[in-house]
Amino acid sequence: MSPTCPYGLPQAIRHWIGGEAADSTDGSTFEVTDPVSNTPYAHAAAGGRQDVDRAVAAARSAFSAWSTLGNRARATILTRIADGIEAREERLAAFESYDSGLPITQARGQARRAAENFRYFADVVVALGEEAFRQGQEQFSYVVRTPIGVAGLITPWNTPFMLESWKLAPALASGCTLVLKPAEWTPLSASLWPEILTEAGVPAGVVNIVHGIGEEAGQALVDHPDVPLISFTGSTDTGRHIARSSAQHLKTLSMELGGKSPVVVFADADLETALDSVVFGVFSLNGERCTAGSRVLVERPLYEEFSRRLAERAERVTVGPPSDPATEVGALVHPEHYARVLDYVDIGRKEGRLVAGGTRPAHLPEGNYLQPTVFADVRRDARIFQEEIFGPVVAVAPFDNESEAVELANATQYGLAAYVWTSDLRRGHRVAHAVESGMVWINSHNIRDLRTPFGGVKASGVGREGGAHSVDFYTESKIVHVALSEMHTPRFGGKR
């Protein structure tokens, strides 16, 4: 099956350095494939150390003017970027869906969220104040916030454009210049940034984009001595490697890493609403979502019914071509990732009871398709309970009481998100406080407020971004102390 090519599909995806499209210094490229036919549709420039050097030099050159531009002026440019994204919503969604396999209706939502990220941080940077402290009549202290410098942004292949905007917007709002390294599996939508940024009036060199393989372009960005901070979203193993590599230059890091988020469903929960949330939370975005509720823990009186109905719903999820508006689960992003998810399905057959999915849909003989998959009766030591699969696969297990629910929820190395379903709000708060995760939703699915901190604990990452937390990451705070009266300092060495 060949996908329908979107309008304006480029045959070559080039770097964007110093306000100009550029090839790699050595001319290297790599093939980019779509997940429906798994055939190449374009070549992307494969950046290396020299290309990153060029990009960092351009960003450093642009830093002085951009960092000293007034907050209102930067906010105006961010608003224009949002306008440019919205004006290209259909084209952007088509590119994203074609390249990543996301259903087109969900890709449209990602485009709208990307625009909102820029509007939000335009508001934040104008409204954000600085702190001041008075020490009686003796001293006054105030905080000066300054952009750190050139930011290195490394983004993942799932919902790539939106997650790029999630880093670009606060970095630009804070006054940083930057080098973006998009994921090599999904570079297509990033090719729209140059025209959006240029149209919005972003000066040359403020944003630079270097495509390439993570081990080469990404590594060069992490190693560069003139890039003092790295924002990374991706796997825990890669995050550990970045932390080790960054130690030489003591870089500031913000890393959102893997997740194996629990959904705790008590017997008194609103069954229909909880079921809707579980199905959407683990199967939307093709299950390739860092905050997916991929471990569902159900109180035993409700367990059999919930497992049965979850399986029934999974079997009815519409799997199809990403470009079809009726599709709810599209094609997984890449053959390597597809094979990895299928390996976990095979592992799951030995570790749990397969109650739904586990196979390719019969009407889709080609492409990276998998029917949403549910395993029940999964033990806590099972790999499908412990390890991030990042696909439309969910493990279900029973619990007998609140303490066991918390114990099971915390029984992995990860701690990104968690979800609690109960009609007893006191219990909901107790469990939310006891679960080891950076974010918890009670009787709600993954609805984000951009003002709140986003990030995880344990192996799910370090640092927080979102709202003022993002501005804190991209800026340095300097405290200035001023004497208001004559200072009486102990006089050492005054005696003869």
Side-chain angles (χ1 to χ4, degrees):
M1 178 185 295
S2 297
T4 302
C5 294
Y7 169 76
L9 190 70
Q11 293 184 329
I13 300 172
R14 305 172 73 192
H15 307 309
W16 180 254
I17 299 175
E20 296 181 352
D23 295 320
S24 294
T25 302
D26 62 2
S28 296
T29 64
F30 62 93
E31 290 183 334
V32 187
T33 62
D34 73 84
V36 171
S37 67
N38 288 321
T39 57
Y41 69 83
H43 284 82
R49 196 163 297 276
Q50 288 180 297
D51 306 298
V52 170
D53 285 344
R54 289 159 56 203
V56 173
R60 289 191 70 194
S61 179
F63 177 72
S64 178
W66 181 252
S67 63
T68 56
L69 192 65
N71 286 350
R72 175 67 69 182
R74 287 202 301 271
T76 298
I77 292 175
L78 263 65
T79 300
R80 291 182 194 143
I81 295 172
D83 292 340
I85 293 171
E86 289 177 344
R88 294 165 175 82
E89 180 179 326
E90 286 301 318
R91 184 181 175 200
L92 170 57
F95 273 23
E96 197 85 311
S97 178
Y98 181 85
D99 199 29
S100 69
L102 285 181
I104 185 63
T105 52
Q106 296 169 39
R108 290 191 184 106
Q110 297 304 308
R112 289 189 289 271
R113 285 187 62 188
E116 178 58 24
N117 283 335
F118 281 93
R119 294 199 190 284
Y120 172 75
F121 280 104
D123 293 339
V124 166
V125 75
V126 171
L128 191 65
E130 293 172 327
E131 297 174 294
F133 308 88
R134 181 186 294 273
Q135 295 89 50
Q137 300 300 316
E138 298 178 353
Q139 186 166 272
F140 181 77
S141 306
Y142 62 93
V143 176
V144 177
R145 190 190 296 272
T146 57
I148 289 181
V150 178
L153 312 181
I154 303 175
T155 53
W157 48 256
N158 62 316
T159 62
F161 192 88
M162 192 281 292
L163 289 174
E164 288 158 9
S165 76
W166 175 236
K167 300 180 187 296
L168 282 166
L172 292 174
S174 300
C176 289
T177 55
L178 60 95
V179 179
L180 168 68
K181 209 298 282 185
E184 56 264 36
W185 283 354
T186 53
L188 179 58
S189 59
S191 68
L192 295 176
W193 283 119
E195 65 182 58
I196 294 171
L197 297 170
T198 301
E199 182 182 280
V202 177
V206 170
V207 176
N208 303 275
I209 303 172
V210 177
H211 295 280
I213 308 305
E215 292 82 354
E216 298 170 7
Q219 186 68 58
L221 187 57
V222 169
D223 290 341
H224 204 290
D226 294 327
V227 179
L229 77 169
I230 298 289
S231 177
F232 169 74
T233 299
S235 73
T236 296
D237 286 343
T238 303
R240 291 188 175 110
H241 176 78
I242 288 174
R244 287 191 293 267
S245 298
S246 298
Q248 179 181 358
H249 298 293
L250 297 177
K251 294 179 187 276
T252 301
L253 297 178
S254 176
M255 299 194 294
E256 184 223 313
L257 307 177
K260 194 69 178 177
S261 301
V263 184
V264 180
V265 183
F266 287 93
D268 64 349
D270 182 322
L271 175 58
E272 294 297 332
T273 307
L275 190 62
D276 286 344
S277 180
V278 167
V279 173
F280 178 81
V282 74
F283 298 139
S284 63
L285 305 183
N286 298 346
E288 297 164 334
R289 179 200 289 270
C290 56
T291 54
S294 55
R295 291 184 298 136
V296 180
L297 313 175
V298 186
E299 195 168 14
R300 199 171 296 277
L302 186 61
Y303 177 74
E304 289 300 333
E305 180 182 3
F306 194 95
S307 300
R308 174 180 57 79
R309 294 188 61 182
L310 176 57
E312 291 171 353
R313 287 284 296 275
E315 293 286 2
R316 294 200 299 268
V317 169
T318 301
V319 183
S323 59
D324 186 344
T327 293
E328 295 171 318
V329 170
L332 300 190
V333 67
H334 190 274
E336 288 182 26
H337 182 63
Y338 182 54
R340 178 180 180 276
V341 173
L342 292 182
D343 284 345
Y344 273 108
V345 171
D346 288 340
I347 292 168
R349 294 176 192 275
K350 303 179 185 70
E351 295 184 330
R353 176 167 56 95
L354 179 65
V355 294
T359 60
R360 171 191 294 276
H363 66 288
L364 296 167
E366 299 176 353
N368 308 328
Y369 293 106
L370 175 65
Q371 187 67 35
T373 300
V374 180
F375 289 101
D377 306 340
V378 179
R379 303 183 316 274
R380 73 171 64 198
D381 61 346
R383 289 183 62 187
I384 61 169
F385 189 92
Q386 292 290 336
E387 299 174 16
E388 184 176 42
I389 299 173
F390 221 64
V393 181
V394 62
V396 190
F399 66 86
D400 288 307
N401 52 55
E402 182 179 319
S403 62
E404 185 184 11
V406 171
E407 182 186 7
L408 286 171
N410 293 337
T412 73
Q413 66 171 323
Y414 297 109
L416 185 58
Y419 308 86
V420 182
W421 289 90
T422 178
S423 61
D424 182 346
L425 285 183
R426 289 183 178 179
R427 176 165 59 190
H429 285 287
R430 284 197 306 271
V431 174
H433 292 186
V435 169
E436 297 166 348
S437 66
M439 300 168 287
V440 183
W441 282 265
I442 301 174
N443 296 335
S444 172
H445 60 271
N446 189 357
I447 298 174
R448 286 286 321 287
D449 184 324
L450 293 177
R451 297 170 295 181
T452 60
F454 185 97
V457 300
K458 300 194 292 188
S460 287
V462 295
R464 293 292 183 272
E465 296 189 46
H469 303 275
S470 291
V471 178
D472 286 341
F473 173 67
Y474 290 104
T475 58
E476 293 280 14
S477 293
K478 178 189 295 183
I479 184 72
V480 179
H481 302 285
V482 183
L484 298 178
S485 61
E486 184 178 351
M487 297 299 294
H488 300 285
T489 305
R491 193 176 187 190
F492 279 28
K495 295 181 180 180
R496 290 186 179 273

